Amino acid sequence: QKEVEQDPGPLSVPEGAIVSLNCTYSNSAFQYFMWYRQYSRKGPELLMYTYSSGNKEDGRFTAQVDKSSKYISLFIRDSQPSDSATYLCAMSDGGGSNYKLTFGKGTLLTVNP
Amino acid sequence: KAGVTQTPRYLIKTRGQQVTLSCSPISGHRSVSWYQQTPGQGLQFLFEYFSETQRNKGNFPGRFSGRQFSNSRSEMNVSTLELGDSALYLCASSIAGQETQYFGPGTRLLVL
């Protein structure tokens, strides 16, 4: 079983839709959870960062972490064509000096005008 | 503040050659991590450096190595290149003590 599982999609939605992206994980030591957005032929860009369980909102983006279910989500409200990209979840246990991030394989999202 | 920069952006090599990639972190960031991204495996952790010391290493063969200089700039080297080393190599930097990592644009390596 992979440490982090992410539905690769592709996911295609109309402009203005609410998008839900999800990851599950198996390592209960993970405490730090991130979502990155990666446009084609670019490096990943940090979107959201959360520690432990709970919700965090930033503009049209909401990140949710449910550690009891080992499940994290990213919601995008009022999706725009500019949101078309690959979305990667990432997590770490943050133990000591361990700065290794473990990534999901990414979900390819297309928002159609 | 300038972001993470990586050079070169594109590279074509042949099997058996070696390659060196360079990364300059965000000013003030002392931790530099390297990742390999391929369509099949996604993003995989190579190693992390802090204050010129490798603190963590992923499951890659010894052909993959790196180093960090006193100004926090980092290089990674791949010796005896194989076709399977074709990938996007990403460098990320972070402030010591924080989990968030900021990525550069990557170096796309093609091995023929």
Side-chain angles (χ1 to χ4, degrees):
Chain A
Q1 181 187 12
K2 283 198 172 292
E3 275 194 298
V4 180
E5 300 274 7
Q6 183 175 7
D7 187 340
L11 186 60
S12 181
V13 301
E15 183 175 352
I18 296 175
V19 176
S20 172
L21 304 166
N22 312 294
C23 287
T24 59
Y25 62 95
S26 58
N27 187 346
S28 58
F30 287 146
Q31 300 183 68
Y32 299 86
F33 304 91
M34 283 138 274
W35 286 95
Y36 286 84
R37 177 175 63 195
Q38 186 174 24
Y39 291 113
S40 181
R41 310 194 82 79
K42 302 282 188 183
E45 169 196 10
L46 180 65
L47 271 180
M48 300 287 285
Y49 163 71
T50 53
Y51 169 71
S52 195
S53 285
N55 294 358
K56 185 173 183 179
E57 188 174 319
D58 184 2
R60 297 184 296 111
F61 298 90
T62 299
Q64 287 186 350
V65 174
D66 181 348
K67 289 188 69 179
S68 63
S69 302
K70 298 190 179 68
Y71 188 87
I72 69 170
S73 300
L74 177 70
F75 297 95
I76 307 174
R77 291 184 300 280
D78 187 25
S79 56
Q80 302 295 309
S82 59
D83 295 329
S84 297
T86 295
Y87 289 81
L88 299 149
C89 63
M91 45 199 82
S92 78
D93 61 17
S97 59
N98 180 1
Y99 290 98
K100 168 188 172 182
L101 291 180
T102 302
F103 283 83
K105 285 195 174 182
T107 300
L108 178 60
L109 170 68
T110 301
V111 181
N112 301 298
Chain B
K1 188 181 272 192
V4 177
T5 58
Q6 292 186 246
T7 56
R9 294 292 312 278
Y10 302 94
L11 211 46
I12 300 175
K13 292 285 187 179
T14 56
R15 278 183 301 172
Q17 288 187 308
Q18 75 165 23
V19 66
T20 299
L21 312 181
S22 181
C23 171
S24 293
I26 292 170
S27 177
H29 286 197
R30 296 171 62 194
S31 170
V32 173
S33 299
W34 289 89
Y35 294 83
Q36 181 195 66
Q37 186 175 30
T38 59
Q41 298 299 318
L43 267 147
Q44 293 186 287
F45 174 78
L46 280 157
F47 27 66
E48 187 260 350
Y49 286 87
F50 178 79
S51 290
E52 303 177 64
T53 300
Q54 185 182 91
R55 299 194 298 185
N56 202 357
K57 189 179 192 306
N59 295 324
F60 279 83
R63 300 184 297 105
F64 292 83
S65 63
R67 60 177 176 168
Q68 187 181 33
F69 301 96
S70 58
N71 62 357
S72 296
R73 191 178 68 86
S74 178
E75 288 181 347
M76 69 161 282
N77 184 77
V78 188
S79 62
T80 319
L81 283 165
E82 300 177 359
L83 296 179
D85 296 334
S86 295
L88 180 66
Y89 290 89
L90 291 158
C91 164
S93 74
S94 64
I95 297 173
Q98 294 190 6
E99 297 298 326
T100 51
Q101 296 186 13
Y102 298 88
F103 283 83
T107 294
R108 190 165 295 277
L109 172 65
L110 177 61
V111 182
L112 301 176

